């Protein structure tokens, strides 16, 4: 399927192997964005140009795997806060750091309003609890870690695009990322089922006031 004027929902996934989900719904488009913040942002920027050209206002739904120290593998999360996971959050570095909140409508909030314990932190690395980096942020007790959500949410904030995310825990940040492929085979089908339910129930019931693409 190619992007067309009938599209109402675009599923953003870093790697299609993360998602055991197919649909005959002509209003749904699955778009592979690549792994990491840079790939995700470049892919979404390209997609945005096509969205503008078609004059459509789709809901963007990021689906994928995360590392999490607080929930078991296979647990599903619906993050409501997003932050740059490997940026400085002190001193003058804060001037260029946004803290984001929302499912559907994304907004920028102050650090005082930001809830790290409910936040998905986006980094350019797989998180391992045994590293010095994790020890530096351990006191924040973040909800989970991924490699693209913050970049996507930030872009959607700037372009007034509705953004949702559904994530499933694929590792517990304990250095076992090498098992990702075997774990993925066990959880991708479940993630597809949850995604189907989310689209059928939540997105249909939720009346989002979708602004015009700018």
């Amino acid at each position: 399927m190619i992007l067309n004027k009938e599209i109402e929902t675009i599923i953003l996934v870093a790697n299609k192997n993360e998602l055991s989900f197919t649909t005959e719904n002509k209003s749904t488009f699955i778009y592979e964005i690549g792994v990491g913040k840079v790939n995700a942002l470049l892919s979404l920027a390209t997609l945005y140009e096509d969205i503008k050209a078609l004059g459509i206002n789709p809901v963007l739904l990021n689906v994928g795997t995360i590392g999490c120290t607080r929930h078991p593998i296979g647990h599903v999360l619906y993050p409501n806060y997003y932050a740059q996971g490997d940026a400085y959050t002190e001193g003058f570095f804060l001037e260029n750091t946004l803290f984001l909140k929302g499912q559907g409508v994304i907004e920028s909030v102050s650090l005082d309003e930001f809830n790290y314990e409910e936040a998905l932190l986006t980094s350019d690395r797989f998180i391992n609890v045994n590293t010095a980096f994790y020890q530096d942020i351990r006191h924040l007790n973040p909800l989970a870690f991924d490699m693209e959500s913050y970049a996507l949410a930030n872009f959607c904030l700037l372009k007034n695009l509705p953004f949702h995310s559904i994530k499933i825990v694929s590792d517990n940040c304990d250095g076992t990322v090498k098992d990702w492929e075997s774990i993925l085979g066990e959880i991708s089908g479940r993630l597809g089922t949850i995604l189907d339910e989310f689209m059928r129930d939540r997105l249909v019931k939720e009346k989002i006031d979708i602004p015009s693409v700018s």
Side-chain angles (χ1 to χ4, degrees):
M1 180 187 294
I2 61 174
L3 197 63
N4 59 74
K5 289 192 174 185
E6 296 181 14
I7 300 299
E8 297 176 356
T9 303
I10 299 178
I11 299 170
L12 305 173
V13 59
N15 185 310
K16 287 185 178 178
N17 292 324
E18 293 183 88
L19 184 60
S20 177
F21 177 84
T22 57
T23 178
E24 296 180 0
N25 188 340
K26 293 182 179 180
S27 67
T28 300
F29 183 72
I30 300 175
Y31 187 71
E32 190 170 18
I33 57 176
V35 177
K37 289 178 290 188
V38 174
N39 286 329
L41 188 58
L42 291 174
S43 295
L44 184 52
T46 300
L47 178 67
Y48 177 69
E49 293 303 315
D50 293 335
I51 289 173
K52 283 201 304 179
L54 288 169
I56 58 177
N57 299 304
V59 172
L60 301 183
L61 176 56
N62 179 219
V63 179
T65 56
I66 52 173
C68 180
T69 62
R70 291 163 41 190
H71 296 285
I73 290 173
H75 187 83
V76 175
L77 297 171
Y78 302 86
N80 199 45
Y81 293 86
Y82 308 90
Q84 169 73 283
D86 47 12
Y88 293 97
T89 55
E90 296 180 351
F92 65 87
F93 290 101
L94 280 174
E95 296 176 7
N96 296 311
T97 301
L98 293 180
F99 295 88
L100 307 178
K101 176 183 178 181
Q103 277 272 15
V105 177
I106 301 297
E107 62 178 323
S108 176
V109 298
S110 69
L111 182 55
D112 291 338
E113 299 175 85
F114 190 78
N115 186 352
Y116 268 105
E117 293 190 358
E118 297 299 324
L120 181 56
L121 304 189
T122 298
S123 303
D124 283 324
R125 69 190 83 186
F126 287 104
I127 303 301
N128 187 324
V129 294
N130 299 312
T131 62
F133 171 74
Y134 178 78
Q135 295 306 316
D136 286 342
I137 62 172
R138 183 178 181 179
H139 66 286
L140 299 173
N141 195 26
L143 177 65
F145 305 89
D146 82 340
M147 299 178 72
E148 54 273 331
S149 291
Y150 174 78
L152 299 173
N154 199 341
F155 188 89
C156 288
L157 170 70
L158 296 176
K159 300 299 184 180
N160 297 315
L161 294 169
F163 177 79
H164 288 267
S165 67
I166 303 175
K167 299 289 182 172
I168 192 165
V169 178
S170 60
D171 72 90
N172 294 129
C173 307
D174 54 6
T176 58
V177 177
K178 64 181 181 295
D179 299 325
W180 184 79
E181 289 187 2
S182 61
I183 292 171
L184 192 61
E186 299 174 9
I187 65 177
S188 61
R190 180 165 180 254
L191 182 57
T193 300
I194 291 168
L195 174 58
D196 187 41
E197 293 173 353
F198 179 86
M199 293 177 61
R200 185 180 64 246
D201 299 330
R202 182 167 178 174
L203 289 184
V204 170
K205 293 177 181 177
E206 191 173 83
K207 302 300 183 182
I208 302 174
D209 182 16
I210 302 177
S212 298
V213 177
S214 58

